[in-house]
Amino acid sequence: MNKCEKLYKDGEIKTLDASLKEMILNKNLNLAEKALRVLAVAYKDIEAFPHNLDAEHVEQNLNFVRISAE
């Protein structure tokens, strides 16, 4: 969640503010407490393939999509 800046919802990109992040993290915690495996899905729009593929470079300013539990 710390790497996500925006939220993709209903076909729109919205700002991911602190209250939304807290709500998502609480949902994650509730699912994990039920012994479910929780995965977060996020993506990043890029104009060109980055030359630097280090995680610190690529995994920032992501758009959060959803969490999924199984």
Side-chain angles (χ1 to χ4, degrees), residues 6-35:
K6 303 215 182 261
L7 169 72
Y8 178 82
K9 185 175 181 180
D10 300 327
E12 296 181 25
I13 303 293
K14 302 176 181 182
T15 301
L16 186 56
D17 62 21
S19 65
L20 281 172
K21 283 185 180 183
E22 184 177 347
M23 183 180 73
I24 294 166
L25 291 172
N26 284 336
K27 179 69 172 176
N28 177 52
L29 181 60
N30 290 338
L31 293 167
E33 286 176 344
K34 296 177 183 176

Side-chain angles (χ1 to χ4, degrees), residues 48-60:
F49 194 78
H51 296 291
N52 183 350
L53 294 177
D54 291 338
E56 288 182 25
H57 177 74
V58 177
E59 295 177 2
Q60 58 183 338

Side-chain angles (χ1 to χ4, degrees), residues 57-70:
H57 177 74
V58 177
E59 295 177 2
Q60 58 183 338
N61 301 320
L62 300 175
N63 298 321
F64 179 82
V65 178
R66 65 175 297 182
I67 57 174
S68 180
E70 187 174 299

